[in-house]
Amino acid sequence: MLTLALLIAVPGLVATYSDGARELSVVEATPHFSLKANESVHPAIKPAFRAIYVGRLDVKDPGKYKLVPGAATVTLDGKALDGNPRELAVGLHALTIEYRRPAGAARLQVLWESDAFGPEPLPASVLSHTATPEVAVRGQRLERGRALVDQLNCAGCHSQATPAKDAHGRGPVLTEVGGRTTAGWIYRWLENPTSYRSTARMPVMALSEDERRDVASYLGGLGGSMAGARPTPDPGDVGRGKEVFDRVGCAACHGGDHAPVSLANIGSKSWLMAIEEYLKGPDKVEPTGRMPEMALKPHERAQVAIYLSSLRGAPAFEATVPAGDPVRGKTLVAERGCLGCHTIEERGKPLANALKAPTMTMTMMTTMTSSTRGCLAPTPPATAPNFRLGDQDRRAIAEALAIPDVAPAPAVAFRREVAYHGCQSCHELGAPAQAAHKDVPPSLTDTGNKLRTAWIREVVGTPRQRLRHWFELRMPTFKHAGELADGFAAVAGADREEPPAVAIKSADAGQMPRGLKYMGRGEEGMACITCHDFKAYRSGAATPAPDMASTYRRLRPDYFKRWLRAPGRISPGTQMPAYFTDVARDTTEKRIDDLWVALSFENDLPMPEGAMAAGQMVKLAPSKAPVVFRTFLVGGSARSITVGFPGGQAYAFDGETCRLQFAWSGEFLDVRPVWFERGGRQAVPLGNVYHQPGKLFPLRVGDPNWVTVPRFRGYVLDKGVPVFRYDIGGAEVRDRFDPLADGKGLLRTIEVRNAGEAWFVPGSTTGMEIIGAQQDAPGRYRAAARGGVARFQVKILPSLPAAPRQSVAR
């Protein structure tokens, strides 16, 4: 009988690495990595290593599968792969991957493919193991210890060399700390940081009450220009600040008492002006870059500061204490190790750390964890800082220090950066995001195979690189995130070098024009501009997509091709259409290649057919085929469906009330206002409105005097012309508009099915000519069913004075 442990699927593969001197087991999400010559898969393993990955492959659909292991050897269900496709049943299949690292740069990326999909990197979602062995549990404990050594900045005191400047455990700069808080707050913080913030990493320092007063007196006098009273803010201002705080994403890391960095009592620590100044440039205070810039506008920054200054839940921290001796306090700061984590500058020079702590060695750590002396003792003495470490954490630190680093390991560094910067607070990355937002940020899973490293670095470190301009949620700007940007490719097994520039085939100079044609709305066009922005302009789509002109600079070419072939496989539920489902493979590949060549021209690419730039407008311009565009509309509703015909006729249909809103002639739409800056405005009909019917729904079924609320069922395209479908009183309606042959109006054809007769009651017939129906009362027309269909035809003709777009009634 199978044990419970064997029935539970644990994500990832059990990886065992050995370099001849040491063997280490850990759990890896995938077997993929990309290494430079001096790098390894783990800091404790030399660059020349052997790797074995053991687990299971989960097959969701039966069929023939092929695995391409690159330089590795793969065994599936006990049989080595021979390069040929293998028939696999649904379920779990035993998987072993073996790899020996060659000299120099190296990559491991296992690909798989089947009858249903093309080659792609083996995803983490299909890899698992049954029960994590003890050796891998020890490996996880090792990682925990390494993380604690970093987070607690052990090297800040216990190091022969200068403390590592990239240690994440460094504390804030204290040069002007008195301008951010009071001596009273500092005194009580030093007594026990967790009494103010439960998640505080700061230890309880070995200071007497008098010494705390002295230190507080010294630090509280460092920069006091912003110190002042704490006035009670207006509740409305607090509410507006809270709205910005939640909307832009601050709450992802700071929301609630148990958030990674709780701000529950920040108003008891700091003042309004100090908080606002901090938000302008957090890196002046936070040298590790943990607190990013949030691209707040000045008024947003002021509003957030008002909200935060109102959070005064720790009154004891606001009370004053008797002044101490600041001169003695300065000496204590240097002697007790404060400067191992904090920086204080005087006249432009940092104060030196005078603490002489033991060198961080295994012998020292073993002694400290097993004795009553030092910060790693089970109960630290009064002379040592108390980090509040449990037995498991103390053991993990000791084991981590017993295994020294022998090589850089980008995957391990990447995981550390992801955790430190809180990426998973907002983004899905192997697991769901920890915080829910109205704006759902893109998944970071497999980003290394998707995005170019140079682009990731720009997005992480440059506030202007924001593709989703319609998001209220802000992507922060991190000052020190180079390892984070580079690590995506390293953990995905993607090439760490930038992909080569596209080569335009000399024998095929038509690639760019063809690719441009596919983006537009003309013949053979895929109408990419319906949803995607282009250059500095906005598509106007209700669900916009990123700027196409940035595609080549953002995406890796292999991902671009995989995405176009089957977008739903990469992102289930995506609104991106699958254009090539029923297209021959050769044709598919050629068209994708043409698109990629065209996109390589980036901002030098001409506008695709169907979109024209004119001043501050982005005009949708029907040329050879009708354009159907759903949008918010000036003079229309939030569910307007606009249709423009070549030749200059256009109309707006309400997708909620199933009513013609108005018709116009001339140019079609300016869609720039819909998503200009932060969006929310309406598209503007261009040209002249010449017809605007009454507001009542005109069709009747069963009773000519009874107005029935229609139920919209969508529309279908007949040679590019939409045929709207809706139900009224149990009857099915098909409603279509075509331009008149002379180009001076529209012909509306309404077919009512499953009704013996129907009535058309327009209210006013101005600008209308009803064809094929009897007038049986003033302003009312009746059509009897023939062949099960009652039909009305209505000519819509110019009836209003020329009305430019500014005069369209809302």
Side-chain angles (χ1 to χ4, degrees), residues 102-154:
R107 287 177 55 202
L108 175 59
Q109 189 178 74
V110 179
L111 305 180
W112 75 330
E113 60 181 296
S114 79
D115 301 333
F117 59 87
E120 65 182 24
L122 200 61
S125 59
V126 301
L127 301 176
S128 66
H129 61 283
T130 51
T132 305
E134 179 58 30
V135 289
V137 173
R138 288 199 298 271
Q140 293 171 341
R141 190 165 56 241
L142 171 64
E143 290 307 300
R144 168 65 177 164
R146 290 175 54 81
L148 284 169
V149 169
D150 175 60
Q151 293 167 11
L152 302 179
N153 192 29
C154 299

Side-chain angles (χ1 to χ4, degrees), residues 131-468:
T132 305
E134 179 58 30
V135 289
V137 173
R138 288 199 298 271
Q140 293 171 341
R141 190 165 56 241
L142 171 64
E143 290 307 300
R144 168 65 177 164
R146 290 175 54 81
L148 284 169
V149 169
D150 175 60
Q151 293 167 11
L152 302 179
N153 192 29
C154 299
C157 292
H158 300 283
S159 176
Q160 292 177 326
T162 302
K165 294 187 179 298
D166 61 347
H168 291 138
R170 287 178 297 155
V173 174
L174 300 182
T175 301
E176 296 181 344
V177 66
R180 303 194 299 272
T181 188
T182 65
W185 186 93
I186 295 170
Y187 168 80
R188 288 175 174 81
W189 169 261
L190 290 172
E191 182 179 15
N192 183 8
T194 57
S195 65
Y196 169 81
R197 179 182 293 150
S198 62
T199 58
R201 293 173 297 151
M202 169 87 177
V204 177
M205 298 299 293
L207 296 168
S208 68
E209 182 176 347
D210 286 343
E211 288 172 333
R212 288 199 306 274
R213 289 177 180 173
D214 294 340
V215 171
S217 182
Y218 166 63
L219 295 178
L222 297 179
S225 60
M226 281 177 270
R230 294 183 172 93
T232 301
D234 180 88
D237 292 336
V238 172
R240 283 184 284 273
K242 175 66 163 58
E243 187 273 331
V244 175
F245 182 87
D246 292 336
R247 169 166 52 83
V248 303
C250 304
C253 291
H254 300 294
D257 294 343
H258 300 287
V261 182
S262 172
L263 300 180
N265 303 310
I266 189 69
S268 294
K269 172 185 178 180
S270 198
W271 300 277
L272 172 65
M273 289 178 62
I275 295 173
E276 187 172 357
E277 186 66 22
Y278 172 82
L279 292 174
K280 287 182 182 178
D283 59 308
K284 297 177 183 177
V285 177
E286 303 285 354
T288 64
R290 188 182 195 190
M291 172 64 189
E293 292 186 15
M294 293 299 296
L296 295 173
K297 298 176 181 178
H299 73 279
E300 292 175 325
R301 190 165 57 238
Q303 290 169 334
V304 171
I306 290 172
Y307 162 63
L308 294 178
S309 67
S310 74
L311 302 179
R312 298 171 60 183
F317 282 75
E318 298 182 32
T320 58
V321 295
D325 181 351
V327 175
R328 186 164 177 260
K330 178 179 177 179
T331 300
L332 287 168
V333 165
E335 291 179 347
R336 298 300 176 87
C338 302
L339 299 175
C341 289
H342 299 280
T343 299
I344 298 176
E345 289 190 356
E346 289 188 351
R347 299 181 182 89
K349 294 183 178 181
L351 297 183
N353 185 12
L355 178 68
K356 304 301 181 184
T359 302
M360 191 165 56
T361 64
M362 180 56 193
T363 301
M364 181 272 290
M365 289 298 174
T366 300
T367 301
M368 294 179 72
T369 55
S370 60
S371 72
T372 59
R373 297 183 296 115
C375 54
L376 285 184
T379 303
T383 56
N386 186 350
F387 286 95
R388 305 171 296 277
L389 297 171
D391 290 343
Q392 291 297 319
D393 284 346
R394 294 169 53 249
R395 179 186 177 188
I397 290 173
E399 291 186 5
L401 293 171
I403 304 177
D405 291 356
V406 294
V412 175
F414 172 74
R415 288 192 290 267
R416 181 183 69 170
E417 295 293 327
V418 166
Y420 185 75
H421 291 294
C423 303
Q424 289 174 285
S425 293
C426 294
H427 295 273
E428 185 271 336
L429 179 54
Q434 296 160 0
H437 300 286
K438 181 185 72 173
D439 297 323
V440 181
S443 170
L444 297 183
T445 298
D446 205 37
T447 292
N449 285 314
K450 174 183 178 181
L451 297 179
R452 298 174 186 255
T453 298
W455 176 262
I456 299 174
R457 191 172 288 112
E458 287 188 55
V459 170
V460 171
T462 309
R464 67 177 179 273
Q465 293 298 356
R466 299 293 177 261
L467 277 178
R468 292 167 175 80

Side-chain angles (χ1 to χ4, degrees), residues 544-557:
D547 187 346
M548 285 192 298
S550 70
T551 301
Y552 182 79
R553 192 155 57 98
R554 289 186 295 112
L555 299 184
R556 292 175 178 261

